[in-house]
Amino acid sequence: MRLTAVLAALVLSHHPPEGATDRHCEANARKIVHRFYPLRHCQRSNRTVIGFINVQSVRECADYARDKQGLAFNFAPVKRNNTNWYDVVREREQNQSTVSSWKPAPPRVASFGFEDFYNCHVLDCPEYRNLSTIVNDTRFDYYTLYARLLPASNATCIPSIGMFLFDDTKLNYSNAYNVCVSAGGSLAHIASDARTFQLSKYIASLPEMNYTTNNSTDTTSAIEPLYYVGLNETVKNRFFTSADERLDCFRFRAWAPGHPAYV
Ligand SMILES: *[C@@H]1O[C@H](CO)[C@@H](O)[C@H](O)[C@H]1NC(C)=O
Ligand SMILES: *[C@@H]1O[C@H](CO)[C@@H](O)[C@H](O)[C@H]1NC(C)=O
Ligand SMILES: *[C@@H]1O[C@H](CO)[C@@H](O)[C@H](O)[C@H]1NC(C)=O
Ligand SMILES: *[C@@H]1O[C@H](CO)[C@@H](O)[C@H](O)[C@H]1NC(C)=O
Ligand SMILES: *[C@@H]1O[C@H](CO)[C@@H](O)[C@H](O)[C@H]1NC(C)=O
Ligand SMILES: *[C@@H]1O[C@H](CO)[C@@H](O)[C@H](O)[C@H]1NC(C)=O
Ligand SMILES: *[C@@H]1O[C@H](CO)[C@@H](O)[C@H](O)[C@H]1NC(C)=O
Ligand SMILES: *[C@@H]1O[C@H](CO)[C@@H](O)[C@H](O)[C@H]1NC(C)=O
Ligand SMILES: *[C@@H]1O[C@H](CO)[C@@H](O)[C@H](O)[C@H]1NC(C)=O
Ligand SMILES: *[C@@H]1O[C@H](CO)[C@@H](O)[C@H](O)[C@H]1NC(C)=O
Ligand SMILES: *[C@@H]1O[C@H](CO)[C@@H](O)[C@H](O)[C@H]1NC(C)=O
């Protein structure tokens, strides 16, 4: 028996090729610009902020997010009233209940967050399908790389790298490729040190699977797990990443001489 695992990245978030050596590579680098989509109006995400800045336009905020390897961002348009109306309403309600019960007004605690000082917050992970960390805030809009297809709740975010789904069904490469595409993604892009390191860590963190059959007499059954990654040998001896970039445009090398090889 052979147990095969497939690793899929829903959307890629990667650096431009480091070793851009020829025109092909430059074209690769230009082709891929990750787009952020507005997903929520008058709301912001409360996920981990990895950078904040004050900018004039949403475009500047998106550029900053790409620069910081963010997967989403909150942006407060400069022209919008810089009062969070949800706070005002809440305060009003509190005032009313305080007055009606004849209690002295509670001392106002000024608790400022960076949302009060910066209008562009870059997030290392997007909201998942249930939007569990979205916060009502009329000052902000929320933008994400993952709007057209919200990641499934069983997807895992690897901060600043991307969203991943691990599938442990036994498949051949073509089927694995198609499963990932129909899930709205692609086989995992691994052509960088950070991606390889983080994905290896992620796989190692998965619950232990039974890679060997319970039959010590059958040695052929004890085969190491096989994981598919996003490299296609589209042209003989020339590999392409799942974003259709030439692998030889990447300086990253984490394989033995003569590899990668098609299996
Ligand atoms: C937002 O996050 C902060 C810190 O992580 C937490 O204290 C706060 O309760 C969160 N707010 C909401 C509305 O989830
Ligand atoms: C924002 O709202 C406050 C409260 O109603 C108001 O006083 C202020 O003038 C508004 N500012 C702008 C720029 O509209
Ligand atoms: C709530 O009460 C405080 C003091 O009693 C006042 O300063 C504040 O403006 C009130 N807020 C609203 C929204 O009415
Ligand atoms: C945001 O506000 C709406 C009403 O405008 C409310 O139904 C919803 O529960 C609020 N969400 C959060 C996360 O506070
Ligand atoms: C929303 O999703 C997160 C993680 O995907 C999960 O921890 C949380 O329990 C979910 N919340 C609801 C209300 O389903
Ligand atoms: C993730 O969950 C969806 C349904 O929410 C399911 O169809 C899919 O098979 C799951 N994928 C994995 C890899 O568990
Ligand atoms: C992959 O498996 C499917 C059936 O599971 C089969 O039809 C297809 O020919 C296989 N592809 C390759 C390249 O082996
Ligand atoms: C990559 O491989 C898959 C599966 O064999 C195939 O369907 C797809 O067309 C290939 N992509 C390219 C760009 O050749
Ligand atoms: C691995 O095998 C053991 C016994 O053979 C079984 O109890 C366990 O549930 C299996 N684990 C998985 C993840 O399939
Ligand atoms: C392996 O199989 C034997 C019987 O065939 C059984 O007694 C034993 O519990 C199995 N071990 C595991 C780990 O499943
Ligand atoms: C163990 O392997 C032997 C030889 O390959 C085979 O005859 C036997 O049926 C296997 N037993 C199990 C439980 O898979």
Side-chain angles (χ1 to χ4, degrees):
M1 190 185 77
R2 237 159 96 117
L3 250 165
T4 301
V6 178
L7 193 62
L10 281 181
V11 168
L12 312 161
S13 151
H14 59 86
H15 320 257
E18 294 147 343
T21 49
D22 60 19
R23 243 181 296 151
H24 270 292
C25 297
E26 280 169 30
N28 269 352
R30 265 201 310 274
K31 201 171 62 187
I32 295 157
V33 174
H34 294 299
R35 233 197 114 179
F36 290 92
Y37 298 87
L39 188 67
R40 307 300 278 193
H41 185 61
C42 293
Q43 289 187 319
R44 62 181 163 83
S45 169
N46 203 19
R47 290 192 181 271
T48 307
V49 171
I50 53 172
F52 38 75
I53 190 173
N54 275 314
V55 293
Q56 290 303 310
S57 68
V58 66
R59 181 179 291 269
E60 283 175 69
C61 190
D63 287 342
Y64 180 68
R66 279 187 276 269
D67 198 48
K68 287 277 163 199
Q69 304 284 313
L71 304 184
F73 64 82
N74 301 317
F75 172 67
V78 176
K79 276 185 287 186
R80 201 176 290 174
N81 195 318
N82 62 2
T83 305
N84 179 6
W85 289 99
Y86 287 100
D87 283 347
V88 174
V89 168
R90 200 181 315 126
E91 201 179 302
R92 222 172 257 159
E93 280 166 359
Q94 270 169 4
N95 277 6
Q96 271 166 7
S97 63
T98 309
V99 167
S100 60
S101 59
W102 290 93
K103 277 185 198 144
R108 290 185 68 185
V109 186
S111 64
F112 292 110
F114 42 73
E115 64 271 15
D116 297 304
F117 299 107
Y118 298 97
N119 74 341
C120 173
H121 316 151
V122 176
L123 311 167
D124 65 352
C125 280
E127 292 288 325
Y128 291 26
R129 179 158 283 165
N130 67 13
L131 305 172
S132 55
T133 49
I134 211 90
V135 176
N136 282 332
D137 191 332
T138 51
R139 296 169 295 180
F140 285 91
D141 297 327
Y142 168 70
Y143 292 74
T144 168
L145 287 175
Y146 303 85
R148 283 178 304 180
L149 196 85
L150 271 172
S153 47
N154 52 4
T156 299
C157 179
I158 301 183
S160 295
I161 302 278
M163 299 294 302
F164 297 88
L165 264 178
F166 185 80
D167 192 328
D168 65 356
T169 46
K170 180 190 165 191
L171 296 169
N172 59 28
Y173 177 85
S174 306
N175 283 347
Y177 178 95
N178 291 331
V179 163
C180 292
V181 169
S182 58
S186 64
L187 285 165
H189 190 301
I190 47 97
S192 85
D193 198 19
R195 295 187 144 262
T196 301
F197 177 77
Q198 295 297 340
L199 285 169
S200 309
K201 218 168 85 176
Y202 170 58
I203 290 172
S205 75
L206 291 167
E208 192 91 12
M209 277 176 296
N210 289 327
Y211 294 129
T212 56
T213 58
N214 179 20
N215 194 340
S216 53
T217 58
D218 180 8
T219 48
T220 58
S221 67
I223 289 172
E224 279 196 42
L226 185 65
Y227 303 97
Y228 293 121
V229 296
L231 289 178
N232 242 24
E233 195 179 19
T234 311
V235 181
K236 181 99 185 117
N237 291 326
R238 178 164 294 163
F239 284 87
F240 286 77
T241 71
S242 37
D244 216 13
E245 307 147 304
R246 280 173 59 158
L247 183 61
D248 51 15
C249 289
F250 290 82
R251 208 182 290 147
F252 178 67
R253 293 285 176 276
W255 34 80
H259 286 77
Y262 190 75
V263 287

